[in-house]
Amino acid sequence: MPVLTGAVPIATTTLSAIEQSKRLAAYTAVDKHILPEHKVIGIGSGSTVPYVVERIVAQGRELNKDRVFIPTGFQSKELIVMSNLNLGDVDQFPTIDVTIDGADEVDLDLNCIKGGGACHLREKVLAEAANTFIVVADYRKNAEYLGTNFTPGVPVEVVPFAYAQVLRKLRDVLGSPNATLRMAKAKAGPVVTDNSNFVIDAPFSREIMKDPSTILAKIKMLTGVVEVGLFCDMAQAAYFGNEDGSVTVKRKVESKVVEELILPS
Ligand SMILES: O=C(CO)[C@H](O)[C@H](O)COP(=O)(O)O
């Protein structure tokens, strides 16, 4: 694996090691991929993405005044607005220069589980709309196979009317006996997405998760499923902040994934 120097030096603050790793990944990815010529930028969801926005804001008003930022949901919309960046929508800008988003887990081939924050429908739309889709995460998300460290399962967004039927099919037909409807934490009842749908979390065996595209296609065919939190063959690169201040970069080069380590400078 090639080893490079020059990971963004970040002052040690009171942030936990995991938060520092997220920030490192986000800052490094912004520095490499959000370039002056990029005018339409997709902003993902989760706890790593605020560091993405922080680094973009640090590029300065001059660069950002002509840019439009497209959110993947309520959280990123608020982030964009609160950061005084220009808010846009994917219907106005169906082609995005770069989308940067977090992930719940990323495998050796850059396939991802997403949807831990129930935003995966809009996240997938913005990933597909982007010329370049970049993932940022801390070291815990860097895995050989999906489902290794992220165990709740594959997030499946489903229309409420169909949830019981989809749950039954996931359990009895597709091989996820422990699939469950995601329940809200501070509200009685299920999580309701930004699109007014429910989410089912469906854990699958290692054997099934070794081939995420196949199970993605099968889940997507169930009537009532709106989107599946498996992003197969979509990311061009993933940046993982490590505990020691280095950044592991996995990127696609001619359809192969190559890995580099950027050491702190
Ligand atoms: O897919 C997502 C939300 O639906 C997030 O990107 C994913 O959950 C990662 O979040 P975090 O950056 O907090 O680890």
Side-chain angles (χ1 to χ4, degrees):
M1 175 193 14
V3 177
L4 311 171
T5 53
V8 186
I10 292 171
T12 316
T13 62
T14 48
L15 286 183
S16 70
I18 287 172
E19 287 304 307
Q20 289 192 45
S21 307
K22 291 178 189 177
R23 187 171 65 170
L24 190 55
Y27 279 21
T28 309
V30 168
D31 292 355
K32 301 260 184 219
H33 295 280
I34 306 294
L35 305 179
E37 62 267 32
H38 295 140
K39 299 297 178 201
V40 183
I41 296 164
I43 299 293
S45 317
S47 59
T48 314
V49 158
Y51 299 118
V52 168
V53 173
E54 191 173 280
R55 192 64 165 183
I56 289 173
V57 168
Q59 291 186 344
R61 187 68 204 144
E62 197 47 37
L63 270 182
N64 284 318
K65 72 176 183 354
D66 299 327
R67 286 174 167 161
V68 178
F69 296 85
I70 319 288
T72 51
F74 181 85
Q75 179 221 357
S76 46
K77 184 172 159 194
E78 290 288 292
L79 255 179
I80 293 165
V81 171
M82 299 308 284
S83 305
N84 286 317
L85 297 170
N86 303 319
L87 182 68
D89 208 335
V90 72
D91 9 349
Q92 298 165 280
F93 300 97
T95 303
I96 296 173
D97 292 315
V98 187
T99 292
I100 303 194
D101 201 348
D104 297 302
E105 199 155 50
V106 184
D107 75 8
L108 284 178
D109 296 320
L110 293 184
N111 300 311
C112 306
I113 295 184
K114 288 185 52 54
C119 300
H120 51 287
L121 166 62
R122 295 189 187 199
E123 289 173 338
K124 204 178 259 192
V125 171
L126 293 210
E128 261 177 22
N131 292 326
T132 307
F133 173 51
I134 303 295
V135 170
V136 288
D138 64 76
Y139 53 90
R140 300 169 302 170
K141 315 294 182 69
N142 184 4
E144 193 171 348
Y145 298 110
L146 297 179
T148 305
N149 300 319
F150 185 77
T151 51
V154 175
V156 180
E157 180 160 349
V158 61
V159 295
F161 177 75
Y163 98 86
Q165 165 78 350
V166 171
L167 196 53
R168 187 179 66 81
K169 287 268 163 76
L170 285 163
R171 288 176 177 163
D172 300 347
V173 181
L174 295 189
S176 181
N178 297 320
T180 48
L181 182 64
R182 192 183 296 178
M183 302 307 282
K185 291 268 156 57
K187 161 196 172 271
V191 164
V192 177
T193 70
D194 288 349
N195 318 300
S196 307
N197 294 316
F198 292 170
V199 176
I200 292 171
D201 292 303
F204 290 94
S205 66
R206 165 63 51 86
E207 222 30 55
I208 291 176
M209 292 307 282
K210 276 183 175 172
D211 180 9
S213 307
T214 298
I215 192 64
L216 162 61
K218 287 183 181 167
I219 300 172
K220 194 123 188 214
M221 284 303 291
L222 299 177
T223 303
V225 167
V226 180
E227 195 45 80
V228 182
L230 286 170
F231 287 41
C232 297
D233 203 18
M234 297 185 80
Q236 274 86 12
Y239 289 73
F240 304 97
N242 296 319
E243 279 175 297
D244 64 0
S246 64
V247 178
T248 299
V249 186
K250 289 180 173 170
R251 58 190 174 89
K252 286 245 168 78
V253 179
E254 289 166 7
S255 71
K256 285 216 169 82
V257 176
V258 297
E259 188 173 320
E260 292 169 357
L261 189 67
I262 307 180
L263 298 175
S265 48

